[in-house]
Amino acid sequence: MIIERLSQEHLNIEKLLERELEVFDRGHRADYEVIHAVISYFEVYPEVYHHPQEDLVFAKLRARDPAAAAKVGDLAREHQKGAQLLRRVAQAVDGVPAEREILREDVDLIVRDFIAHERRHMRMEERDFFPVALKVLKPQDWTEIASAATSHNDPLFSDVAEERFDTLRAHIVRLEQEADAERK
């Protein structure tokens, strides 16, 4: 079901955000190749595949029960805000001269702002949007959504990762291995 897939993608995104935050929290110098890969991931998968599928569900919800959709809020504006914050992250990272030390506090604040927004947004969807969609939408609505939705797998968390996400995937695996080693 599409809601299950969207929820799983939220878990995947949360895992990715958490790993990057750990790097900043541990005081390690940021790996800008990885940050660029994370930015690329957020520019592609959520914006091109994940959000349009949520938009399909939201459009059906709005058509079926406008009052329920109004309680969820303006999903499109939320997605636009996330895209704006992502562009801000990209600009901050791109603005760092290669030969100079980065102002860690500035980039840290910008990255944390993006992460905080994404977390709030996903929590809102899990708490408000998904449950009301499951309650209000009819089997016919879900069939129409499924036929209109893309079946593209998440390039970072699927078995067939796109080449541009190989670096990011390897970094996340390395972080997970380090975390496992620290727990033992």
Side-chain angles (χ1 to χ4, degrees), residues 61 68 71-72 123-133:
L61 176 62
K71 287 180 183 177
V72 170
R123 276 195 299 270
M124 178 280 294
E125 288 180 339
E126 297 284 337
R127 182 190 65 235
D128 301 331
F129 174 40
F130 294 169
V132 76

Side-chain angles (χ1 to χ4, degrees), residues 26-166:
R26 285 190 274 176
H28 292 97
R29 181 171 171 81
D31 183 337
Y32 290 101
E33 181 179 355
V34 173
I35 290 175
H36 279 289
V38 170
I39 291 167
S40 178
Y41 170 79
F42 275 100
E43 288 170 341
V44 174
Y45 195 78
E47 292 304 313
V48 176
Y49 299 103
H50 181 84
H51 292 161
Q53 291 182 45
E54 289 177 340
D55 294 342
L56 289 170
V57 174
F58 191 71
K60 284 289 184 187
L61 176 62
R62 190 173 40 240
R64 177 80 56 197
D65 188 341
K71 287 180 183 177
V72 170
D74 190 343
L75 206 57
R77 188 168 12 139
E78 282 283 315
H79 292 162
Q80 288 171 351
K81 173 72 172 172
Q84 289 170 344
L85 292 172
L86 179 62
R87 282 192 297 277
R88 188 172 169 224
V89 169
Q91 289 170 349
V93 170
D94 289 343
V96 176
E99 66 276 355
R100 290 182 35 194
E101 186 66 27
I102 182 167
L103 293 176
R104 180 178 194 81
E105 300 81 22
D106 293 342
V107 174
D108 187 62
L109 288 172
I110 291 168
V111 169
R112 285 178 187 279
D113 190 33
F114 172 72
I115 290 171
H117 174 270
E118 290 300 302
R119 284 180 166 166
R120 280 190 309 272
H121 174 73
M122 290 186 298
R123 276 195 299 270
M124 178 280 294
E125 288 180 339
E126 297 284 337
R127 182 190 65 235
D128 301 331
F129 174 40
F130 294 169
V132 76
L134 288 169
K135 180 180 176 185
V136 170
L137 298 183
K138 308 292 183 213
Q140 172 189 343
D141 297 322
W142 293 111
T143 300
E144 291 172 9
I145 291 166
S147 68
T150 63
S151 61
H152 195 279
N153 289 329
D154 187 325
L156 186 58
F157 293 94
S158 67
D159 291 334
V160 182
E162 291 181 21
E163 186 176 321
R164 65 182 147 184
F165 298 109
D166 286 345

